[in-house]
């Protein structure tokens, strides 16, 4: 249960407490190995600017302001970034070395280099003293029809002049902005007509993206904090011209990950651990009460459900060895929820996963700059330092012992809460100091130990985590929550136990089973298909299986049920369910029908890349995705009410060359 409480209390207070940002797993130096695009075509001078050839045109950087424009091959001009949001001071003389130019701002202790790398304009900054810079930014030069593509959850397409997104109700323009580490991927796109710009920020730690509304139009500015003690004194931004597709920036980021050897592959994961293949075609479900029994598993199989991932909460009643054996016999994956991120006093802890041996409580707690422990999930206990656990593991085997105990009933999968998400800490504890970058590295190492078998004597588990960031895609197999673009209003709704439901009754908690209604603005920001765009799937469909959040089961939000099911099928991703005997009584036939359709599209392309996405109608209610190469799988979803070329509203259709189209229509 702790995962929900953590999420519901996390927002502005925690972001403010984590203002001292740290390091990055994707360092600026990773760009140095890239070869220059089109050779040393620059830099050259042009009216005081530095010119560099990039794919699709030529970029012009003004060292006085850091405004960057690009002249495309077709002769049009695009703004890659407006000027920096503050005075930079007089720049030094520009020096040139091949396709790289560099200069400094002596008054700010800041050096800048720009280079053409792999078709992108790569801007690297290094600060000799602490400070910040508000750059890159969108400016007044935006053309009509500009939209932003933002990887919040799966992804959003946000028109700059959209009335809703310019309003407070949309929850986008808050003063806190969005820490890039809290997005699922460190980039954003800007598109207008047939042109666009991709902005990648490998140094995501220490960087915040803020949207502001003025004169009915949104503008976006990134701010990077240079903090030497936190390891964020380097800042790298890579800018590219794109073709204006809503997924162009995602394709650019995927290309970047692949070029750095940082893009995982489900096919390779299956070769290393054949049980990963059981994710293909499997809806995901947390089982409760009588849903954890051997009989419930056999009932699922009798319904004709060929694949499932079954998880259970750490509430003291795990699935029995017999139920686990039945699930594995049925071809299902089954595993517990666990968390290595929270510690409480073992004598009073309200969940078993917060209990740790010896003096991990309180000695292993994360401490802030004032020496105070960071309050844990829901303000209970403390956040447990990944550095403290890493330091202790060689001698005490706390993690290996936890894994052994939680898997003693024979499970073949494991869900490790928050390890792959953006919740990272700067630990000021003298005994185990840690930057956010080191926290991220620790989490990667221990997740690799679960999925690769290093923590379990060679026995690998099919591993999942919460709202996984792209930086974790090589070490996990599935992610719960990365499909959900969360609005802060969701946390407000979930705190209202009267209408949302709480942790009772035991075995069927209302939080998961009681139908709820979201505020219209929250529902629109999260689930309106006309604003959704598959950025996460464009990058990671063939690496990580992604679902909605665990407390947002398909039947939790009746008003959004149809569109959420269509989105899942369109993106070729599983639904997430809360299951017990009552749910099977009420929805078992539909779940089985949906699984049969899903198994078909997964068989065709469950381990293939998403290669295209487009809208087929002006109102964006009919959308199509493509997977694999030429002649691959095409999926078309009609979110409208009328028919589109024979496809009824509220239905999704899949087609591959040489096979009859298959159709699924979620029941109203």
């Amino acid at each position: 249960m702790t995962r929900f409480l953590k999420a519901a209390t996390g927002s502005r207070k925690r972001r403010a407490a984590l203002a001292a940002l740290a390091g990055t797993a994707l360092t600026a130096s990773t760009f140095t190995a890239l070869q220059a695009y089109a050779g040393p075509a620059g830099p050259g001078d042009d009216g005081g600017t530095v010119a560099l050839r990039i794919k699709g045109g030529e970029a012009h950087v003004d060292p006085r302001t850091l405004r960057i424009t690009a002249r495309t091959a077709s002769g049009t001009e695009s703004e890659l970034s407006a000027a920096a949001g503050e005075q930079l001071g007089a720049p030094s003389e520009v020096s040139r070395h091949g396709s790289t130019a560099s200069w400094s701002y002596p008054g700010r202790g800041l050096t800048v280099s720009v280079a053409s790398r792999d078709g992108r304009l790569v801007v690297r900054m290094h600060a000799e003293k602490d400070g910040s810079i508000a750059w890159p930014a969108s400016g007044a030069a935006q053309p009509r029809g500009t939209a932003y593509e933002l990887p919040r959850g799966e992804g959003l397409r946000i028109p700059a002049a959209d009335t809703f997104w310019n309003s407070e109700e949309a929850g986008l323009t808050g003063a806190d902005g969005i820490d890039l580490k809290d997005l699922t991927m460190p980039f954003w796109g800007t598109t207008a007509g047939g042109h666009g710009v991709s902005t990648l920020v490998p140094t995501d730690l220490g960087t915040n993206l803020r949207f502001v509304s003025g004169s009915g139009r949104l503008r976006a500015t990134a701010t990077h904090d240079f903090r030497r003690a936190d390891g964020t004194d380097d800042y790298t931004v890579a800018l590219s011209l794109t073709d204006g597709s809503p997924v162009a920036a995602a394709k650019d980021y995927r290309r970047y990950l692949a070029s750095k050897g940082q893009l995982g592959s489900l096919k390779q994961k299956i070769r290393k651990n054949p049980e990963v293949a059981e994710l293909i075609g499997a809806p995901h479900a947390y089982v409760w009460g009588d849903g954890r029994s051997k009989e419930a598993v056999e009932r699922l199989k009798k319904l004709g459900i060929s694949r499932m991932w079954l998880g259970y909460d750490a509430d003291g009643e795990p699935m029995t060895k017999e139920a686990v054996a039945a699930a594995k016999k049925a071809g299902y994956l089954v595993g517990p929820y666990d968390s290595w991120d929270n510690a409480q006093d073992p004598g009073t802890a309200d969940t078993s996963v917060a209990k740790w041996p010896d003096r991990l409580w309180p000695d292993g707690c994360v401490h802030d700059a004032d020496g105070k422990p960071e309050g844990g999930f829901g303000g209970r206990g403390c956040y447990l330092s990944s550095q403290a656990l890493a330091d202790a593991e060689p001698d005490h085997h706390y993690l290996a012992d936890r894994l052994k105990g939680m898997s003693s009933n024979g499970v073949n999968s494991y869900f490790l809460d928050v390890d792959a998400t953006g919740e990272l800490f700067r630990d000021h504890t003298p005994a185990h100091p840690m930057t956010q970058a080191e926290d991220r590295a620790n989490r990667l190492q221990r997740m690799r130990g679960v999925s690769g078998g290093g923590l379990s004597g060679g026995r690998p588990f099919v591993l999942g985590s919460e709202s996984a960031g792209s930086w974790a895609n090589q070490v996990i197999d599935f992610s719960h929550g990365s499909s959900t673009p969360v609005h802060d209003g969701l946390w407000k709704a979930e705190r209202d136990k009267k209408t949302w439901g709480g942790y009772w009754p035991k075995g069927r908690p209302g939080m998961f089973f009681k139908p709820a209604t979201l505020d219209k603005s929250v529902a629109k920001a999260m689930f309106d298909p006309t604003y959704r765009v598959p950025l996460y799937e464009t990058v990671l469909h063939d690496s990580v299986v992604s679902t909605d959040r665990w407390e947002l089961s398909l039947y939790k939000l009746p008003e959004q049920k149809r569109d959420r099911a269509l989105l899942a099928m369109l993106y070729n991703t599983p639904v997430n369910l809360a299951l017990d005997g009552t749910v099977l009584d009420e929805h078992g036939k539909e779940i089985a029908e949906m699984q049969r359709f899903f198994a078909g599209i997964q068989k065709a392309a469950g381990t293939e890349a998403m290669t295209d996405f487009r809208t087929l109608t002006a109102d964006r209610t009919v959308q199509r995705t493509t997977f694999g190469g030429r002649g691959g799988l095409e999926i078309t979803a009609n979110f409208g009410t009328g028919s589109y070329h024979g496809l009824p509203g509220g239905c999704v259709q899949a087609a591959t060359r040489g096979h009859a189209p298959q159709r699924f229509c979620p029941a109203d």
Side-chain angles (χ1 to χ4, degrees):
M1 302 293 187
T2 54
R3 178 160 45 144
F4 160 71
L5 291 174
K6 174 274 305 173
T9 57
S11 71
R12 294 191 176 105
K13 181 178 180 182
R14 183 163 66 243
R15 289 198 294 269
L18 296 178
L21 299 174
T24 181
L26 302 178
T27 63
S29 62
T30 59
F31 277 95
T32 58
L34 294 174
Q35 295 181 348
Y37 176 80
D45 286 325
D46 183 8
T49 67
V50 175
L52 288 164
R53 192 179 303 164
I54 60 175
K55 186 177 181 180
E58 188 173 70
H60 295 257
V61 186
D62 188 342
R64 296 163 297 187
T65 65
L66 284 180
R67 181 173 186 257
I68 304 176
T69 60
R71 295 172 185 168
T72 68
S74 62
T76 61
E77 183 170 294
S78 297
E79 185 176 70
L80 301 185
S81 175
E86 63 268 279
Q87 293 295 319
L88 299 172
S92 68
E93 183 178 351
V94 176
S95 62
R96 299 172 177 77
H97 301 282
S99 61
T100 300
S102 58
W103 62 90
S104 66
Y105 301 102
R108 294 174 61 97
L110 187 65
T111 59
V112 177
S113 70
V114 294
S116 174
R117 296 286 186 268
D118 201 25
R120 305 181 184 93
L121 178 71
V122 179
V123 182
R124 300 174 60 182
M125 302 182 189
H126 176 76
E128 295 294 338
K129 58 184 179 181
D130 289 355
S132 65
I133 187 168
W135 183 91
S138 58
Q142 289 179 335
R144 290 177 61 86
T146 294
Y148 297 98
E149 289 78 38
L150 184 69
R152 175 180 276 180
E154 176 61 59
L156 295 170
R157 178 186 179 273
I158 303 169
D162 187 90
T163 303
F164 170 69
W165 287 104
N166 277 273
S167 70
E168 292 184 5
E169 289 75 18
L172 181 69
T173 58
D176 288 341
I178 306 166
D179 288 346
L180 253 62
K181 67 181 181 61
D182 293 329
L183 297 175
T184 52
M185 298 173 287
F187 71 86
W188 63 95
T190 310
T191 55
H195 303 282
V197 177
S198 165
T199 305
L200 314 183
V201 185
T203 48
D204 58 334
L205 301 184
T207 307
N208 181 278
L209 181 65
R210 185 184 176 201
F211 288 88
V212 296
S213 175
S215 302
R217 293 179 64 83
L218 291 167
R219 297 183 185 177
T221 302
T223 299
H224 183 80
D225 288 328
F226 297 102
R227 299 286 183 268
R228 175 164 293 188
D230 294 341
T232 61
D233 47 351
D234 287 304
Y235 182 35
T236 299
V237 178
L239 300 152
S240 302
L241 292 170
T242 72
D243 61 7
S245 162
V247 294
K251 289 183 177 181
D252 185 39
Y253 180 58
R254 176 183 170 87
R255 183 168 61 91
Y256 167 77
L257 287 180
S259 73
K260 306 314 301 170
Q262 296 170 354
L263 183 62
S265 163
L266 282 169
K267 293 178 181 178
Q268 292 180 0
K269 293 172 184 178
I270 290 169
R271 284 195 288 270
K272 292 179 179 178
N273 178 11
E275 288 183 309
V276 174
E278 294 174 11
L279 285 171
I280 308 305
H284 291 226
Y286 281 92
V287 288
W288 303 82
D290 59 4
R292 297 182 184 179
S293 66
K294 174 184 177 183
E295 292 73 22
V297 172
E298 292 173 341
R299 187 177 176 188
L300 287 169
K301 193 68 174 178
K302 190 174 181 179
L303 280 167
I305 298 174
S306 60
R307 291 282 175 88
M308 285 287 290
W309 180 91
L310 302 175
Y312 52 90
D313 192 31
D315 56 6
E317 297 184 2
M319 291 182 72
T320 64
K321 290 184 177 180
E322 292 74 21
V324 169
K328 293 165 68 174
K329 181 180 179 181
Y332 300 166
L333 291 166
V334 57
Y337 154 87
D338 193 6
S339 173
W340 297 349
D341 206 43
N342 189 230
Q344 297 181 37
D345 185 338
T348 58
D350 54 9
T351 173
S352 60
V353 297
K355 296 180 180 180
W356 294 89
D358 302 330
R359 287 192 55 83
L360 278 176
W361 164 268
D363 293 353
C365 294
V366 172
H367 289 78
D368 63 20
D370 295 325
K372 297 179 180 178
E374 290 280 2
F377 298 165
R380 301 165 301 159
C382 72
Y383 283 102
L384 185 57
S385 170
S386 67
Q387 189 64 51
L389 284 170
D391 291 344
E393 190 62 20
D395 295 326
H396 299 282
H397 314 301
Y398 295 129
L399 300 182
D401 289 347
R402 168 66 71 87
L403 181 60
K404 181 179 179 181
M406 295 286 281
S407 63
S408 61
N409 56 354
V411 296
N412 53 7
S413 185
Y414 212 83
F415 185 88
L416 192 54
D417 187 40
V418 308
D419 258 33
T421 194
E423 190 171 50
L424 303 169
F425 291 95
R426 170 80 159 95
D427 190 357
H428 294 265
T429 311
H432 42 80
M434 174 180 71
T435 65
Q436 287 189 345
E438 290 166 339
D439 191 7
R440 180 179 279 179
N442 291 337
R443 293 167 189 260
L444 281 169
Q445 182 178 12
R446 66 196 197 185
M447 284 188 286
R448 188 176 292 109
V450 179
S451 62
L455 280 173
S456 56
R459 177 189 177 191
F461 290 87
V462 180
L463 177 64
S465 189
E466 177 190 0
S467 301
S470 56
W471 52 270
N473 85 90
Q474 293 179 293
V475 300
I476 64 166
D477 305 304
F478 64 94
S479 169
H480 290 168
S482 47
S483 293
T484 311
V486 172
H487 183 291
D488 277 351
L490 176 65
W491 311 139
K492 180 181 178 181
E494 294 184 359
R495 286 193 292 267
D496 185 352
K497 303 305 181 187
K498 183 178 180 181
T499 58
W500 190 268
Y503 293 108
W504 57 88
K506 187 176 181 180
R508 201 167 207 271
M511 175 187 294
F512 299 94
F513 290 96
K514 182 179 180 178
T517 301
L518 287 175
D519 179 87
K520 289 184 178 180
S521 61
V522 176
K524 186 173 185 176
M526 292 178 61
F527 298 118
D528 187 333
T530 63
Y531 294 127
R532 294 286 293 267
V533 63
L535 303 179
Y536 197 84
E537 296 312 308
T538 296
V539 178
L540 296 175
H541 183 266
D542 55 345
S543 176
V544 175
V545 174
S546 175
T547 77
D548 272 325
R549 293 183 58 82
W550 79 322
E551 80 275 19
L552 298 181
S553 67
L554 183 63
Y555 298 104
K556 177 67 179 180
L557 304 172
E559 292 183 10
Q560 285 74 47
K561 177 247 177 182
R562 186 201 76 157
D563 285 352
R564 291 176 66 202
L566 291 177
L567 280 167
M569 299 303 105
L570 177 67
Y571 295 168
N572 207 346
T573 57
V575 296
N576 212 344
L577 304 164
L579 281 185
D580 66 356
T582 301
V583 171
L584 290 178
D585 290 340
E586 296 174 347
H587 305 292
K589 290 183 179 180
E590 183 187 37
I591 293 170
E593 181 185 357
M594 181 164 46
Q595 194 273 329
R596 283 191 289 272
F597 178 84
F598 183 60
I601 61 177
Q602 286 272 283
K603 182 179 180 180
T607 60
E608 300 295 330
M610 179 185 283
T611 50
D612 192 31
F613 166 78
R614 60 188 62 195
T615 54
L616 304 181
T617 57
D619 63 2
R620 304 182 64 83
T621 59
V622 183
Q623 303 176 15
R624 176 172 292 163
T625 53
T626 304
F627 299 84
R630 188 178 181 86
L633 175 68
E634 283 191 349
I635 304 177
T636 305
N638 186 348
F639 297 97
T641 55
S643 178
Y644 175 82
H645 293 286
L647 179 63
C651 294
V652 60
Q653 182 169 290
T656 56
R657 180 177 295 178
H659 294 83
Q662 300 296 309
R663 183 176 294 176
F664 173 65
C665 303
D668 293 331

